[in-house]
Amino acid sequence: MRKIIASLTFAALALGTLSANADIVVIVNPKNPAASLTADQVSALYLGNASTFPEGGAALLADQPESAGIRNDFYQKATGRSASQVKATWARITFTGKGTPPKELKSDADVKAFVASDPKAIGYIDSSAVDGSVKVALKL
Amino acid sequence: MRSRLSAIALAVAAALPSAAGAIDFSYSGFGTLGYAQTDTDLAQVGYSGMPEGVDEDGSFEFDSKLGLQVTARFNDMFFATVQGVAYENLTSEWEPHLDWAYIGFKPVSSLTVRGGYLRAPMFMYSDSVFIGYANTWVRPPLEVYRLTPVYQLLGGDVVWRQNFGKVTASLQAYYGESEIDTKDPTTGSTSTIDVPEWYGLVGSVEVGSLSLRAGYSRIAMPDDLTDARLQPAIDMLNSYAGMGCGECAIDASRLALAGLELDMLSLGAQYDDGGNVAIAEYARRETGRIVTNDMYSAYFTYGHRFGGFMPYATYAIARHDGYESSAIPASSPFAGFAAVADGALAATPNDQDTYSVGLRYELSSVPALKGAVVKLQYDHIKAKEGNGLFINVQPGFEGKTDMISASFDFIF
């Protein structure tokens, strides 16, 4: 019995470690002049506090679907707020005409394709999905 | 109103062809299905001037709203937005209104210039007061949010917003005019009061979970605004003034609505760290008059999130400020007239306390909606002096009521 509990504990620990290791990366188009972005800069964009990259170019934001676990993890790590808090913030911004919310796409692959096709785009995906079509601007 | 609307529509239409083909349209909407009920039929909870507010018969109209928004983005610099919202206005009719209709210009990323119909940010939530989904309460505390009947600006604003690392600062200046729709409860006839001038300035700073804001606004009412109920007293006092009673003229001018100017000051703070939510707001109205008198209101709300649930509590106050009695001194030969003035001046001490508790619950996924919350709220509203902020008060009212409210708020 003790053995089973021990191995269950180990399994739980391993799972916990695994999910913590699933890095989220913020990606931009390879043509984006920014070599990297800080967490504050990404947070400002995704909370509607900034609408341009530090170099001044307009930013086009991509989001993951609400059902995807990565969405809540991203907002927690990048902005310190939950995805639902951020959604209420964007509702206020949208209906007072102060900005346009991030465009919701279906998957890592869709976000990557969107960012690869537009020099203004920015998105976030699981680090395992990164390839040469996009540039990693920040690891969360 | 209609001719101005068509002028805006024409301007939008004129701007369209030049960018045809590249226009990016986006559609969105919000709504609230709300119900509120008190335990008395001797007074009602509502906005000043409403023929019908909330009482023991209950109301679906008071909090319910449905809004639709279309934004057309012509290029990186120019955009136009139209937002129609159905809600109950001061005439107590639930009907559609064109709330926002403007053309915007963004010469640089930190600056936006807009012209058309806008909601001015007089108080912390004035421009988003209808977006129930984004707000904590079933409705923002009435003590503050009913201090002015003016909400829609026809004019322009300039918004500057700049991010400096962890800090975001913004300044918004607006200028224009407005209108107030009113309805006479006895005759049922509706009329419109023109508000010839309205301007204001708001500054805010956001640092992480904390945001602070300060705003000033001035609203000028028309020179020919009158109140039939007060006119006899005003005329009488003015006739005494003609006989040499200078203080009678002062009393008469305090009673008059003509040329009324409202100076509004508001200070707000909001803290939200994901778990704790705290909101505080103070608003002060200065008019130097008796009707629409000098007063201040404030509230404090605290809520705590437990997953999708957030219980919250609010304490709100309204206090009057300034004159209540005649300016005529007892030593004046006209002291006998002070009674006439006092009768009219003993107007409306509107001191009131409200204690509220509520529960906000975020629904995880509702088909066809981008987001939805359910709220339940209980308010204990107590007039401290006179009839507080209650409207349509009948004889025998004890000056307090309990109100229950429920709402389903969504965005799509």
Side-chain angles (χ1 to χ4, degrees):
Chain A
M1 183 58 135
R2 196 168 292 161
K3 214 171 191 178
I4 294 172
I5 290 172
S7 53
L8 277 176
T9 312
F10 176 75
L13 281 174
L15 276 174
T17 323
L18 269 180
S19 68
N21 274 348
D23 280 337
I24 300 169
V25 290
V26 176
I27 52 168
V28 293
N29 189 277
K31 287 188 190 134
N32 193 312
S36 69
L37 294 169
T38 65
D40 282 342
Q41 287 163 345
V42 170
S43 170
L45 285 170
Y46 276 88
L47 290 176
N49 286 335
S51 59
T52 55
F53 289 108
E55 282 78 8
L60 205 56
L61 279 57
D63 218 338
Q64 292 269 1
E66 218 161 292
S67 51
I70 189 173
R71 180 157 158 161
N72 210 36
D73 289 347
F74 166 74
Y75 281 109
Q76 283 294 0
K77 286 182 177 172
T79 71
R81 303 186 192 192
S82 71
S84 65
Q85 262 179 286
V86 175
K87 199 160 62 166
T89 301
W90 276 108
R92 206 184 293 285
I93 293 170
T94 303
F95 296 115
T96 55
K98 289 182 176 161
T100 315
K103 189 179 169 71
E104 190 176 312
L105 299 169
K106 288 198 178 74
S107 63
D108 278 353
D110 284 3
V111 170
K112 194 168 58 181
F114 176 79
V115 171
S117 68
D118 194 326
K120 293 187 286 188
I122 176 169
Y124 60 90
I125 55 175
D126 190 285
S127 60
S128 63
V130 172
D131 61 28
S133 67
V134 293
K135 184 162 79 178
V136 173
L138 176 69
K139 271 198 172 87
L140 288 169
Chain B
M1 173 80 94
R2 298 229 159 69
S3 59
R4 292 179 199 147
L5 277 190
S6 41
I8 289 169
L10 272 178
V12 172
L16 284 173
S18 61
I23 304 171
D24 176 22
F25 284 99
S26 54
Y27 305 86
S28 44
F30 60 88
T32 293
L33 176 62
Y35 179 77
Q37 184 183 337
T38 73
D39 62 357
T40 180
D41 60 354
L42 296 174
Q44 298 177 331
V45 176
Y47 292 88
S48 175
M50 265 185 149
E52 215 180 320
V54 181
D55 60 17
E56 69 173 6
D57 293 335
S59 171
F60 280 104
E61 289 88 359
F62 190 66
D63 293 312
S64 296
K65 274 140 205 116
L66 185 63
L68 289 169
Q69 174 168 299
V70 183
T71 290
R73 213 158 278 283
F74 306 119
N75 53 42
D76 279 348
M77 276 194 195
F78 287 95
F79 60 98
T81 297
V82 173
Q83 185 187 115
V85 189
Y87 63 93
E88 186 184 43
N89 68 3
L90 294 182
T91 67
S92 294
E93 303 282 345
W94 201 88
E95 56 192 17
H97 302 85
L98 188 65
D99 244 34
W100 301 73
Y102 61 84
I103 295 175
F105 170 56
K106 210 170 173 161
V108 290
S109 71
S110 58
L111 202 67
T112 308
V113 182
R114 305 185 291 184
Y117 281 110
L118 305 162
R119 267 180 173 266
M122 192 153 18
F123 305 125
M124 193 151 49
Y125 300 104
S126 288
D127 58 357
S128 59
V129 81
F130 287 171
I131 323 300
Y133 176 79
N135 293 332
T136 300
W137 327 267
V138 170
R139 73 192 75 78
L142 294 179
E143 279 77 3
V144 167
Y145 286 82
R146 53 161 279 164
L147 281 175
T148 163
V150 181
Y151 71 91
Q152 191 189 40
L153 181 79
L154 173 62
D157 72 355
V158 179
V159 186
W160 172 81
R161 193 170 166 81
Q162 182 77 51
N163 175 254
F164 307 92
K166 288 188 192 309
V167 181
T168 302
S170 80
L171 267 181
Q172 182 170 2
Y174 52 93
Y175 183 86
E177 57 184 59
S178 187
E179 288 181 334
I180 309 168
D181 290 324
T182 62
K183 185 177 183 178
D184 188 312
T186 44
T187 64
S189 64
T190 55
S191 58
T192 301
I193 299 170
D194 282 309
V195 176
E197 192 178 53
W198 179 17
Y199 57 84
L201 182 69
V202 180
S204 72
V205 179
E206 221 178 296
V207 189
S209 305
L210 180 70
S211 68
L212 301 170
R213 118 193 242 293
Y216 168 77
S217 186
R218 167 166 276 216
I219 301 164
M221 301 299 269
D223 289 335
D224 58 357
L225 189 64
T226 56
D227 185 327
R229 290 164 299 178
L230 293 168
Q231 207 52 44
I234 294 169
D235 290 345
M236 197 180 294
L237 287 163
N238 276 328
S239 69
Y240 302 152
M243 290 150 59
C245 175
E247 292 87 356
C248 294
I250 296 173
D251 285 354
S253 68
R254 286 175 186 172
L255 281 175
L257 286 179
L260 177 76
E261 287 179 333
L262 293 89
D263 280 319
M264 313 288 297
L265 175 74
S266 83
L267 299 170
Q270 198 183 309
Y271 176 84
D272 184 346
D273 66 7
N276 302 291
V277 176
I279 307 166
E281 191 168 14
Y282 166 87
R284 181 174 187 82
R285 176 174 82 190
E286 277 178 27
T287 61
R289 306 292 179 101
I290 301 302
V291 178
T292 317
N293 57 332
D294 291 0
M295 65 182 288
Y296 65 89
S297 297
Y299 65 83
F300 177 75
T301 294
Y302 175 77
H304 190 89
R305 290 193 186 83
F306 299 93
F309 286 96
M310 182 170 79
Y312 60 88
T314 300
Y315 173 53
I317 61 162
R319 297 287 183 269
H320 73 288
D321 205 357
Y323 353 90
E324 276 160 87
S325 59
S326 172
I328 308 168
S331 58
S332 164
F334 297 94
F337 297 147
V340 177
D342 279 336
L345 292 172
T348 47
N350 28 25
D351 295 11
Q352 174 173 300
D353 285 354
T354 298
Y355 304 85
S356 314
V357 288
L359 183 67
R360 185 184 187 277
Y361 175 63
E362 178 111 24
L363 298 165
S364 55
S365 71
V366 182
L369 296 178
K370 274 192 194 144
V373 293
V374 173
K375 298 171 197 161
L376 296 170
Q377 188 172 314
Y378 161 82
D379 299 88
H380 178 71
I381 309 169
K382 192 167 178 288
K384 294 271 286 181
E385 223 181 298
N387 291 321
L389 298 171
F390 288 99
I391 58 170
N392 307 325
V393 177
Q394 311 290 317
F397 177 54
E398 289 182 338
K400 60 183 182 202
T401 190
D402 293 312
M403 180 159 79
I404 49 158
S405 314
S407 72
F408 173 64
D409 305 87
F410 52 93
I411 51 171
F412 59 96

